[in-house]
């Protein structure tokens, strides 16, 4: 973390879990366990139908609501889609784009991820842009090349002012939901490379302002070590964010200097 230049962000990704009726209880438990002092921005990215509930429930303990996906279109005949304006209208502050599960199961391309990020920026929502290599790419030593490509593609046409309001999440696919976390050194190496790519594209000032998160089996036990790394400014947490006590423990791990 580097608090001098950028925000620390702990974001939960509930994926397709939880129910609207369970949000209140979750938030009560979270509140009981959160540290008294605010040391990071806390976000919970829920399924779209729970965002309004999260906006209301999150007010008291300053938890922002986020979405997990958005349409690239502004409005119109796109059955089933949710626009960036609709997300902003219900009070979402963040939205994940380019998660590997959407890239894999919904065939989302790099250019679609880029269009979605731009749609969010246009409505004042912070895109959490996910990038990450497969195990095969890592074993073939293609990680850095692939990540650099994904970052450049996702940021295409986004200017130097806008990029400072973007969050990048490095989520190695082999670490998602597997219990196999990247080591702190592995995660730092890639997050450092992501910042270097942004530096080349936009210059040092913009690069140091962008928050870069790590995601992939981050939990209450390993969070502190990952967050101690200079280019890891927070976490995008799946499984552990479903348990309020564990999520609060990860938030508390940002208290370190
Ligand atoms: P897990 O924390 O369950 O590995 O999921 C990570 C993730 O995909 C967050 O977006």
């Amino acid at each position: 973390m580097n608090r001098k230049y950028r925000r620390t962000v702990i974001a939960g990704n509930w994926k397709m879990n939880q129910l609207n009726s369970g949000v209140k209880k979750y938030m009560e438990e979270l509140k009981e366990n959160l540290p008294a002092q605010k040391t990071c921005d806390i976000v919970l990215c829920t399924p779209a139908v729970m965002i309004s509930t999260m906006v209301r429930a999150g007010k008291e303990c300053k938890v922002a609501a986020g979405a997990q996906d958005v349409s690239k279109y502004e409005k119109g005949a796109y059955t089933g889609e949710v626009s960036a304006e609709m997300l902003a209208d219900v009070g979402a502050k963040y939205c994940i784009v380019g998660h590997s599960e959407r890239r894999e199961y919904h065939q989302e391309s790099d250019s679609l991820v880029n269009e979605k990020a731009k749609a969010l920026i246009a409505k004042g929502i912070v895109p959490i842009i996910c990038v990450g290599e497969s195990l095969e790419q890592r074993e073939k030593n293609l990680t850095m090349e692939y990540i650099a490509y994904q970052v450049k593609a996702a940021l295409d046409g986004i200017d130097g002012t806008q990029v400072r309001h973007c969050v990048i999440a490095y989520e190695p696919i082999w670490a998602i939901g597997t219990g196999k976390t990247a080591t702190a050194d592995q995660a730092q190496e890639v997050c450092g490379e992501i910042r270097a790519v942004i530096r080349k594209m936009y210059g040092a000032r913009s690069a140091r302002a962008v928050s870069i998160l790590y995601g992939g089996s981050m939990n209450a036990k390993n969070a502190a070590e990952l967050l101690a790394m200079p280019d890891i400014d927070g976490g995008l947490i799946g499984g552990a964010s479903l348990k309020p006590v564990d999520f609060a423990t990860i938030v508390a791990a940002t208290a370190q200097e």
Side-chain angles (χ1 to χ4, degrees):
M1 292 180 295
N2 183 330
R3 286 181 212 284
K4 190 169 166 204
Y5 296 117
R6 47 193 179 259
R7 287 160 179 271
T8 303
V9 181
I10 296 295
N13 174 7
W14 278 4
K15 306 192 179 182
M16 201 170 75
N17 293 296
Q18 311 283 43
L19 291 172
N20 221 16
S21 52
V23 171
K24 193 165 167 256
K25 185 167 177 284
Y26 176 100
M27 293 305 282
E28 278 166 7
E29 251 183 277
L30 181 65
K31 198 179 136 203
E32 271 170 35
N33 289 282
L34 279 178
Q37 206 84 14
K38 183 179 152 92
T39 51
C40 66
D41 290 0
I42 310 170
V43 186
L44 280 167
C45 298
T46 71
V49 292
M50 294 175 212
I51 294 172
S52 297
T53 310
M54 182 54 73
V55 169
R56 278 194 300 276
K59 274 200 178 113
E60 206 183 324
C61 41
K62 298 198 167 51
V63 173
Q68 299 173 12
D69 187 31
V70 67
S71 175
K72 71 171 182 174
Y73 299 109
E74 252 188 81
K75 62 162 89 165
Y78 301 103
T79 302
E81 291 277 83
V82 174
S83 73
E85 189 175 16
M86 290 169 187
L87 294 179
D89 187 48
V90 293
K93 301 289 180 213
Y94 292 78
C95 179
I96 297 168
V97 286
H99 193 283
S100 59
E101 288 152 15
R102 292 212 62 85
R103 292 180 192 256
E104 186 183 347
Y105 308 139
H106 301 274
Q107 291 76 45
E108 293 204 358
S109 65
D110 288 295
S111 69
L112 180 58
V113 173
N114 171 251
E115 286 183 275
K116 290 184 173 191
K118 286 189 207 162
L120 291 167
I121 292 169
K123 299 298 172 195
I125 296 176
V126 176
I128 301 177
I129 300 167
C130 300
V131 296
E133 82 286 3
S134 65
L135 187 58
E136 195 188 347
Q137 286 168 321
R138 176 158 283 269
E139 283 169 350
K140 286 186 178 158
N141 254 329
L142 294 172
T143 300
M144 295 307 187
E145 200 180 312
Y146 184 62
I147 298 291
Y149 164 77
Q150 278 190 314
V151 171
K152 281 185 211 154
L155 296 177
D156 187 45
I158 292 173
D159 71 30
T161 310
Q162 292 168 332
V163 80
R164 295 179 195 201
H165 302 291
C166 293
V167 170
I168 311 283
Y170 167 53
E171 297 209 311
I173 296 169
W174 48 270
I176 295 176
T178 57
K180 236 196 223 176
T181 322
T183 64
D185 287 337
Q186 281 174 325
Q188 165 58 31
E189 190 186 17
V190 180
C191 291
E193 172 67 15
I194 291 171
R195 200 175 308 286
V197 170
I198 298 172
R199 193 178 303 120
K200 271 186 218 141
M201 293 174 78
Y202 299 99
R205 276 169 161 261
S206 293
R208 73 183 184 198
V210 176
S211 297
I212 301 175
L213 317 183
Y214 169 78
S217 300
M218 194 190 250
N219 59 39
K221 288 207 177 89
N222 61 28
E225 194 189 350
L226 288 156
L227 293 167
M229 292 292 160
D231 287 299
I232 301 178
D233 306 306
L236 183 55
I237 297 116
S241 77
L242 298 172
K243 301 177 204 144
V245 177
D246 288 15
F247 191 58
T249 306
I250 297 171
V251 169
T254 64
Q256 62 185 313
E257 276 316 310

